[in-house]
Amino acid sequence: MTDTARVATLPRPIEVEEFFADPAFSHPSISPDGTRLAYLAPRYGRRQVWVRGIDEEHADAVCVTQDARRGITTFSWTDDPRWLLYLQDTDGNEDWHLHRVDLEAPDTPALDLTPLPAGSRVVGFEPVRSAPGYVLVSMNRRPMFLDLFWVEVATGETTVHLEQPEPRGDFLVDRDGRAAFYSYLADDGTQEFSAVDAETGEKRFLRRVGGPEHPTGIQPQRVTPDGTGLLVGIYQDSDDLRLVRIDRETGEETVVAAVEGHSLDIMGTAAPGMPPTVFTDRATGEVLAARFVGDRSVIEVVDPHFAEVYAALSQLSDGVLGTLSSDESGQRWVASFLHDREPGLTWFYDHGTGESRLLFRPLPHLDPADLAPRTAVGFPARDGLPLHGFLTLPVGVEPAGLPLVLVVHGGPWAHDSWSYDPEAQFLANRGYAVLHVNFRGSSGYGRRHTLAAIGELAGTMHDDLLDAVDWAVGEGYADPDRVGIYGGSYGGYAALVGVTVTPDRFAAAVDYVGISDLANFMRTLPPFVKPYMVANWYRYVGDPEVPEQEADMLARSPITMVDRIRTPLLVAQGANDARVVQAESDNIVASLRERGVPVEYLVAQDEGHGFANPENRIRLYRAIERHFAEHLGGRGGIG
């Protein structure tokens, strides 16, 4: 193909704003009675909650929140058609508060139902069918304890319901809010489950399961609707994570959902805002289906009636079911779909009439033809461990000898999946091949894959990234002299490891809210999370209070190898980050500047662990665009 012909097939240069402004519509949810739709859409430069009739258009909708400081991400209907609830923090500090909106007077300011002191936060809330007008809220008004409280939605009156007796123990409640089970994380990282007598509070031991193969804890932990069982994600005798019921009386385990060769996708439980791990019936709470990890997500249907609904929904999109809500009758459904080039298409479906119609496209300004397919790939690590990932190649360009950006996910106990990725699309539009790899320790690829990461930060976990690059070079996709590395959180740490442990491998790097000092990172985490670190950071990395382990952690920390950095580096940090504090970036940047090594540093004063406000995201990705264009040779300066 000639250069002229190649250019003729290139997609249009897509502006940074088109990728990283807030979507026009997102997070749809149908009301319990099936008559209204709530969703997020921009106003005042931020994501707000809007409500409209199910048969109305956006022009008829009412904006019911007025938060001009920070966009809203999590909201919920209540059992009273007058009230709607949402969570909000302050400038990304993750001190979440629960707010109430009056849908009969949407212009009145929202009421903070949980006025908490700094450092305390709401970590979850849910309505309880036997207590209309109330929600059950988990929050740490006691700094080290996540207690359960009844909150009356109309008045904000709050009363203690169940106090957490020990930092690593949690009551699991039934649909009436009564303690049904007790979950305790033991010193060795295993999880102990006990049945709880709702009247006396007496605990009766049932099962001990898990360990370091569950670094984010056993997910999910959900009491069955009848209160007689506990649903958990465990491996049993398999390498694959399954959805299993533990019987309250006998402790017997019964498999509810399993897919051979695939693990339960717990990202929707461990990371709110992700597609759900388990779909449940709104009225009964029974499990409808479960999500499993694969080249594309695998939806395993459990409920026979939902099988009919799912079959009909599957005809609406060639993507994978993402979010789903229904009315109490289970007849009216609102579904959105995961897709690499047409994300979040949201449909209304009436199972009674068979009617369906498209409600909205979240990114109406983007043409799927201009976007790049996200292709599943696989290859072995140097020690033979199977690795899986995704390759995004620029449209209209011969896929040979391209500049490559290796994008490393956070966690590290998370995983990349087949979906729309604005970062990958942005980079592909600039002419880069983009490679994601689910390195060892990533969730979703089995027990062995997870456990292979113990003690391997800056070791074989980094080797996996190098092996992925070598694969892309060996296949002819990538130019070995034009490879960049980019990541956020753990991915930022991986980028810093890349330019310290292997300083000659990458031509450019971007560290976004990344860890530079493993010991300092662990010491500065919020105090109430530290008891839960037994099976993850303490087990996989070490305890900074043990001198020998701290020494090993420092040996794996980029800050102690900063004198090796000669790769062009861009660092981005939120000033209010509660997970990776600003000192993690400050220290790296200060050390480089003292040595006269050029480094670009972006700090957003109104952000936390990642940039949420559109203007900050746009500023960040314009800087990334310039950085990679200068050092890798992709297209830059668009817009």
Side-chain angles (χ1 to χ4, degrees):
M1 181 185 294
T2 66
D3 288 342
T4 302
R6 221 176 271 160
V7 170
T9 61
L10 287 174
R12 70 179 178 90
I14 301 174
E15 305 283 357
V16 173
E17 290 85 348
E18 295 183 70
F19 286 119
F20 298 108
D22 286 329
F25 308 96
S26 61
H27 294 77
S29 177
I30 196 170
S31 62
D33 64 4
T35 64
R36 292 179 294 174
L37 181 70
Y39 53 95
L40 300 179
R43 194 181 188 190
Y44 314 117
R46 297 291 182 264
R47 291 183 306 273
Q48 309 289 348
V49 182
W50 297 69
V51 175
R52 75 192 202 209
I54 195 66
D55 295 320
E56 295 180 331
E57 303 297 326
H58 183 60
D60 305 309
V62 176
C63 182
V64 301
T65 59
Q66 298 87 34
D67 196 327
R69 185 166 178 170
R70 193 164 188 81
I72 294 166
T73 57
T74 303
F75 69 90
S76 176
W77 296 98
T78 70
D79 54 20
D80 188 323
R82 179 176 178 178
W83 311 118
L84 184 142
L85 303 176
Y86 70 92
L87 291 175
Q88 186 59 286
D89 70 348
T90 302
D91 293 340
N93 67 359
E94 299 190 51
D95 285 352
W96 300 101
H97 290 215
L98 184 64
H99 297 263
R100 187 205 72 203
V101 173
D102 186 346
L103 298 183
E104 294 181 1
D107 293 330
T108 60
L111 175 67
D112 184 351
L113 297 175
T114 54
L116 297 164
S120 295
R121 63 187 65 175
V122 171
V123 298
F125 69 96
E126 59 181 326
V128 176
R129 296 181 68 84
S130 61
Y134 289 82
V135 287
L136 200 54
V137 179
S138 175
M139 53 185 168
N140 64 327
R141 290 207 304 196
R142 297 188 299 161
M144 289 295 294
F145 295 88
L146 294 171
D147 301 322
L148 285 171
F149 298 82
W150 288 113
V151 176
E152 187 175 16
V153 175
T155 66
E157 181 181 354
T158 301
T159 55
V160 177
H161 177 50
L162 289 170
E163 288 192 332
Q164 186 182 16
E166 50 198 333
R168 293 203 300 260
D170 294 287
F171 287 108
L172 305 174
V173 299
D174 63 17
R175 282 170 62 81
D176 293 320
R178 298 174 300 190
F181 293 87
Y182 186 71
S183 172
Y184 177 72
L185 182 62
D187 291 342
D188 62 357
T190 59
Q191 201 88 29
E192 298 175 354
F193 292 112
S194 301
V196 178
D197 187 302
E199 302 300 326
T200 66
E202 181 181 348
K203 303 181 186 71
R204 178 171 49 82
F205 177 78
L206 286 175
R207 302 286 288 178
R208 178 194 290 264
V209 295
E213 65 267 38
H214 295 275
T216 59
I218 289 180
Q219 307 283 354
Q221 297 181 30
R222 179 193 293 268
V223 180
T224 59
D226 61 7
T228 66
L230 181 67
L231 294 177
V232 295
I234 57 177
Y235 290 97
Q236 296 183 303
D237 58 354
S238 171
D239 192 55
D240 305 323
L241 195 66
R242 302 162 169 172
L243 184 64
V244 174
R245 177 187 182 274
I246 299 177
D247 187 83
R248 174 184 171 84
E249 297 303 321
T250 66
E252 180 182 355
E253 296 177 3
T254 305
V255 175
V256 175
V259 178
E260 184 69 27
H262 298 268
S263 281
L264 189 69
D265 187 345
I266 62 170
M267 288 287 287
T269 304
M274 300 295 290
T277 298
V278 176
F279 298 97
T280 57
D281 187 284
R282 187 173 201 159
T284 67
E286 295 288 350
V287 173
L288 302 177
R291 184 184 309 274
F292 290 80
V293 175
D295 290 349
R296 293 192 182 194
S297 295
V298 177
I299 307 298
E300 181 73 0
V301 175
V302 173
D303 180 83
H305 170 71
F306 180 69
E308 300 176 10
V309 174
Y310 180 70
L313 294 175
S314 298
Q315 300 301 309
L316 303 178
S317 169
D318 62 350
V320 176
L321 184 62
T323 63
L324 183 67
S325 64
S326 76
D327 62 4
E328 290 274 353
S329 72
Q331 291 299 304
R332 295 183 142 202
W333 300 81
V334 171
S336 64
F337 292 86
L338 305 174
H339 198 285
D340 58 347
R341 287 166 292 164
E342 182 68 292
L345 285 183
T346 298
W347 287 79
F348 169 79
Y349 168 68
D350 189 319
H351 191 57
T353 66
E355 172 200 358
S356 63
R357 67 178 185 276
L358 183 66
L359 292 175
F360 50 70
R361 294 179 64 221
L363 305 175
H365 54 282
L366 292 181
D367 183 347
D370 290 331
L371 301 179
R374 184 178 177 94
T375 304
V377 296
F379 40 84
R382 64 189 65 180
D383 63 358
L385 184 73
L387 299 176
H388 299 268
F390 295 90
L391 180 66
T392 305
L393 295 172
V395 176
V397 177
E398 183 181 350
L402 297 169
L404 172 76
V405 179
L406 176 68
V407 181
V408 188
H409 69 67
W413 304 285
H415 65 265
D416 290 309
S417 58
W418 184 81
S419 62
Y420 173 75
D421 183 336
E423 292 180 336
Q425 294 294 344
F426 157 68
L427 291 168
N429 187 258
R430 280 14 179 201
Y432 303 99
V434 185
L435 181 61
H436 295 77
V437 58
N438 287 312
F439 49 87
R440 68 192 65 208
S442 302
S443 65
Y445 289 91
R447 187 201 310 254
R448 176 189 171 212
H449 189 277
T450 300
L451 293 174
I454 292 177
E456 293 299 337
L457 271 74
T460 55
M461 293 172 76
H462 182 54
D463 290 343
D464 290 348
L465 303 180
L466 300 179
D467 294 346
V469 171
D470 289 344
W471 171 84
V473 171
E475 291 293 310
Y477 296 119
D479 178 347
D481 296 324
R482 294 191 294 160
V483 177
I485 185 170
Y486 159 64
S489 192
Y490 172 84
Y493 165 81
L496 293 175
V497 168
V499 298
T500 52
V501 173
T502 51
D504 299 321
R505 190 66 190 89
F506 298 99
V510 178
D511 158 30
Y512 179 28
V513 298
I515 302 162
S516 65
D517 182 336
L518 290 166
N520 183 67
F521 158 70
M522 291 178 64
R523 287 191 175 108
T524 54
L525 285 167
F528 77 92
V529 307
K530 293 181 180 179
Y532 297 96
M533 292 163 56
V534 173
N536 47 66
W537 290 102
Y538 289 140
R539 182 68 179 89
Y540 280 72
V541 185
D543 184 344
E545 304 313 316
V546 177
E548 296 82 1
Q549 295 181 32
E550 181 189 25
D552 181 68
M553 294 167 72
L554 291 174
R556 300 172 186 273
S557 295
I559 194 65
T560 61
M561 299 177 277
V562 69
D563 59 340
R564 301 181 187 178
I565 296 179
R566 49 184 177 268
T567 306
L569 179 64
L570 168 64
V571 177
Q573 178 68 46
N576 306 307
D577 196 332
R579 305 188 196 193
V580 179
V581 297
Q582 186 177 332
E584 292 294 304
S585 293
D586 285 350
N587 293 340
I588 279 283
V589 171
S591 181
L592 291 173
R593 287 178 173 170
E594 286 171 8
R595 292 172 42 228
V597 177
V599 57
E600 184 175 0
Y601 189 24
L602 302 180
V603 179
Q605 297 298 326
D606 57 347
E607 297 286 4
H609 196 58
F611 294 1
N613 291 330
E615 64 273 17
N616 292 325
R617 292 200 302 268
I618 291 165
R619 176 186 170 213
L620 169 66
Y621 289 104
R622 281 180 175 157
I624 291 174
E625 177 182 52
R626 293 192 303 269
H627 185 72
F628 284 147
E630 179 180 356
H631 301 294
L632 301 182
R635 289 193 290 171
I638 297 171

